[in-house]
Amino acid sequence: MRKKILLIYVICTFAMTGCRLTMPGSDDLSHDNLMIDETSSSDTSIEDNDDGSADASNSLIGSADDLPWESPMADYVPDSPYSSYISFVSGKVITKWDDEYFSDYVTGKYKYACCDLSGDGVPELVILYQEGDKEKIITFSYDEEDGTIYESLKRGFNSECDYISNNGFVLLYEYEDTDGKITCGKTEDENYIQRIHVKLSRGFNDISDSAFLWERGAGSSEYEGPSEEIYNRVMEMAEDQVTLFDGDNPEDIIPYLEECEENFENSYEYFKLFKQQGNGLFYRNNSDIPDNEYKDAESAYEAFINDETCVRCEYVKEPFNSDFSYVYGDKYNMSSLFYPEYSQTMDSHLIDCGSDGSKELVVDITSTLSPETIDYLYVISFYEGHLYLRFAGQSSSRARIDIGDDGYIIYSGSSSVNRCGVDEAFLDNNIEFHYVYKSDEVSNEGLKDFFPEAYEISPAGDVMTIYIYDIDGKKYYVPYFFEEVTDEEDYSDFMNACIECGISFSSQEEVDALIEEKKAEYGF
């Protein structure tokens, strides 16, 4: 699959030397991928072309040196996570999925800090604490979509050798003895396996991104992994450690979080410029990817298709099934998305989101490498001379995305025999994503997950189906029992149990009218 062949890079810019070090990720640990670029971006720029050459006729202005970016999302600042962190440590909210309060995770003395360990500029809440006789690190992240807090990394930690770096990663040592027991820390015993991880809090619980891995096998004195030069650079970055503060009670963190809240917007603007300069974590080696400026969209789109320029990633909307990997500031060219040697085909066409006359480029890449065919869909827009990736999704046998000529999107999918759904959305003339509605069609035993209290009172039976619509955050429930149930006298025992639990039902006609009203509101 495409995601498996992406390389993860860290580019470190050192102010004194101007040296840029590129580091391959853990999916490919060969030393051949090491690249040290001591040439600044201005040294490789393409001069403006005014002599009537082919580049000039194609409206190529030159290579990118525009800072800060004049981009579609230039003024955007994500929601600050700090008020939610304050509510969390105050015991007012619980974590998503785990349903735990802060006090359920941490008791007794602890250390804390907030720092970005996910590469998006929004800091995580980082806690070091004792669990029995073991030291642990846990990070909590903020989900802006629903305003929730979730556990993004949890694992053992050893303060004697492990580091939390201001450069956006956690450096962790562990060794495995001859019985397979894993211990956090270092060992000189060559009969044991020693590992060094560079971790990011971009996952859930202990399933986090592992950017790099060095491993010394049992009976060996040599490490397998990225080169010695990369190792030295990572260790140098790791020495720039996050300052941790001591806490005894959950409320001890609140003054610190309040101060962070006041500085959030300034810190985020600094982050954006830092990334736009090519610093920090990227999934692509941006120093190798051309980033040219063009006078018009047509020329820029053609250049992208021909692998002559890139799309920039700021905030790529991925509302549906997608495994597209990026961080703020990443740059993708066609050859980093499209791999013909891996049984892929590519198609492209123009659409007009919002029907305003400005054209957007849709790139559809089909891969037959895996057991089932997968389509990767990208929507790209032109803005102030450059291209920006605005939407990414993928289709497979269980889920499909279709996008119309006006930017209208229909997503349909099925997760099980008892659950499927259809969502409708659109990209407006600013290529911003909006839902019209989301829906789930849930049947039989699947209803237990959505209506657990009612199901406990009276199971749904084998022919009960409920359509669940989400329109502007409000839920509507339309029941079907062979056909739509409209009369209360025909309600099943399960439906009456739902009413007892506070669920009210709507008719399909009422919901359809709301959907049509929503479409009309946006000109569809």
Side-chain angles (χ1 to χ4, degrees), residues 174-413:
E174 67 178 24
Y175 59 89
E176 182 178 341
D177 65 18
T178 54
D179 294 325
K181 180 183 177 182
I182 296 177
T183 303
C184 297
K186 294 181 180 180
T187 180
E188 300 300 325
D189 191 335
E190 294 184 0
N191 293 314
Y192 292 174
I193 299 171
Q194 176 76 65
R195 301 184 184 94
I196 307 172
H197 295 273
V198 176
K199 288 277 189 179
L200 309 175
S201 61
R202 290 178 59 86
F204 306 102
N205 301 320
D206 59 346
I207 308 174
S208 55
D209 272 6
S210 184
F212 308 105
L213 169 65
W214 289 271
E215 180 172 306
R216 187 194 68 206
S220 173
S221 60
E222 301 293 330
Y223 279 94
E224 294 292 330
S227 69
E228 183 178 355
E229 291 86 353
I230 293 176
Y231 173 86
N232 292 336
R233 294 300 190 189
V234 167
M235 294 302 160
E236 183 176 348
M237 287 192 293
E239 291 290 340
D240 180 15
Q241 297 183 57
V242 170
T243 300
L244 295 165
F245 303 93
D246 293 320
D248 294 317
N249 302 301
E251 58 268 21
D252 294 344
I253 314 179
I254 293 178
Y256 169 81
L257 294 174
E258 291 174 340
E259 183 178 351
C260 291
E261 174 75 63
E262 293 178 3
N263 298 320
F264 175 70
E265 287 197 19
N266 289 336
S267 66
Y268 192 77
E269 291 300 326
Y270 173 82
F271 163 81
K272 290 196 293 185
L273 187 58
F274 181 78
K275 298 291 286 184
Q276 290 169 16
Q277 290 172 329
N279 303 315
L281 169 75
F282 296 101
Y283 277 87
R284 304 305 309 169
N285 180 10
N286 290 348
S287 63
D288 273 356
I289 294 179
D291 185 6
N292 298 320
E293 185 175 356
Y294 294 86
K295 293 180 180 178
D296 59 82
E298 182 181 358
S299 300
Y301 293 151
E302 181 180 357
F304 177 74
I305 295 298
N306 292 331
D307 206 28
E308 296 168 358
T309 194
C310 71
V311 293
R312 297 169 169 181
C313 297
E314 291 183 299
Y315 303 98
V316 183
K317 192 68 179 179
E318 301 175 86
F320 309 119
N321 183 33
S322 173
D323 62 6
F324 179 70
S325 298
Y326 81 101
V327 295
Y328 183 95
D330 254 320
K331 298 178 181 180
Y332 278 79
N333 57 354
M334 180 59 74
S335 60
S336 59
L337 294 172
F338 175 45
Y339 302 91
E341 65 272 27
Y342 291 99
S343 303
Q344 292 186 335
T345 59
M346 189 275 293
D347 183 33
S348 64
H349 63 278
L350 298 177
I351 61 174
D352 184 0
C353 296
S355 302
D356 63 349
S358 298
K359 301 295 185 180
E360 287 73 43
L361 177 66
V362 174
V363 174
D364 190 348
I365 296 173
T366 301
S367 173
T368 58
L369 184 63
S370 61
E372 64 173 330
T373 300
I374 298 177
D375 289 324
Y376 300 98
L377 185 73
Y378 307 97
V379 177
I380 297 166
S381 70
F382 176 79
Y383 192 88
E384 296 294 336
H386 297 281
L387 299 179
Y388 293 87
L389 187 58
R390 307 304 303 279
F391 179 88
Q394 69 187 54
S395 298
S396 63
S397 61
R398 279 192 169 272
R400 179 163 184 81
I401 298 174
D402 292 295
I403 183 165
D405 292 339
D406 55 0
Y408 201 82
I409 299 168
I410 297 178
Y411 168 82
S412 57

Side-chain angles (χ1 to χ4, degrees), residues 22-290:
T22 304
M23 306 171 66
S26 57
D27 284 346
D28 187 341
L29 301 177
S30 69
H31 297 178
D32 296 337
N33 288 311
L34 178 63
M35 207 176 182
I36 299 178
D37 178 8
E38 297 183 348
T39 306
S40 68
S41 59
S42 59
D43 293 332
T44 58
S45 64
I46 302 174
E47 298 297 328
D48 288 356
N49 199 329
D50 298 321
D51 60 0
S53 67
D55 282 345
S57 65
N58 286 332
S59 300
L60 172 64
I61 297 175
S63 66
D65 55 6
D66 57 321
L67 290 173
W69 290 354
E70 297 181 16
S71 62
M73 304 291 285
D75 298 327
Y76 172 73
V77 176
D79 291 344
S80 168
Y82 293 111
S83 61
S84 294
Y85 289 157
I86 290 171
S87 296
F88 176 53
V89 300
S90 300
K92 297 177 181 177
V93 299
I94 57 178
T95 50
K96 187 177 184 178
W97 299 304
D98 298 313
D99 296 334
E100 301 279 3
Y101 291 99
F102 180 81
S103 57
D104 295 324
Y105 290 99
V106 182
T107 58
K109 296 181 182 296
Y110 61 92
K111 295 181 181 293
Y112 65 89
C114 284
C115 58
D116 176 25
L117 295 176
S118 54
D120 61 359
V122 179
E124 277 66 46
L125 174 59
V126 183
I127 305 291
L128 291 185
Y129 67 103
Q130 290 292 134
E131 192 175 90
D133 61 349
K134 298 184 183 299
E135 190 176 10
K136 297 278 189 177
I137 180 173
I138 187 169
T139 67
F140 299 100
S141 297
Y142 173 68
D143 187 338
E144 185 176 3
E145 291 291 328
D146 56 15
T148 58
I149 304 298
Y150 64 93
E151 179 187 320
S152 51
L153 170 66
K154 182 180 180 181
R155 59 172 295 146
F157 194 85
N158 189 326
S159 293
E160 294 183 0
C161 56
D162 295 342
Y163 297 109
I164 305 168
S165 173
N166 278 312
N167 289 286
F169 63 86
V170 182
L171 184 73
L172 299 165
Y173 289 85
E174 67 178 24
Y175 59 89
E176 182 178 341
D177 65 18
T178 54
D179 294 325
K181 180 183 177 182
I182 296 177
T183 303
C184 297
K186 294 181 180 180
T187 180
E188 300 300 325
D189 191 335
E190 294 184 0
N191 293 314
Y192 292 174
I193 299 171
Q194 176 76 65
R195 301 184 184 94
I196 307 172
H197 295 273
V198 176
K199 288 277 189 179
L200 309 175
S201 61
R202 290 178 59 86
F204 306 102
N205 301 320
D206 59 346
I207 308 174
S208 55
D209 272 6
S210 184
F212 308 105
L213 169 65
W214 289 271
E215 180 172 306
R216 187 194 68 206
S220 173
S221 60
E222 301 293 330
Y223 279 94
E224 294 292 330
S227 69
E228 183 178 355
E229 291 86 353
I230 293 176
Y231 173 86
N232 292 336
R233 294 300 190 189
V234 167
M235 294 302 160
E236 183 176 348
M237 287 192 293
E239 291 290 340
D240 180 15
Q241 297 183 57
V242 170
T243 300
L244 295 165
F245 303 93
D246 293 320
D248 294 317
N249 302 301
E251 58 268 21
D252 294 344
I253 314 179
I254 293 178
Y256 169 81
L257 294 174
E258 291 174 340
E259 183 178 351
C260 291
E261 174 75 63
E262 293 178 3
N263 298 320
F264 175 70
E265 287 197 19
N266 289 336
S267 66
Y268 192 77
E269 291 300 326
Y270 173 82
F271 163 81
K272 290 196 293 185
L273 187 58
F274 181 78
K275 298 291 286 184
Q276 290 169 16
Q277 290 172 329
N279 303 315
L281 169 75
F282 296 101
Y283 277 87
R284 304 305 309 169
N285 180 10
N286 290 348
S287 63
D288 273 356
I289 294 179

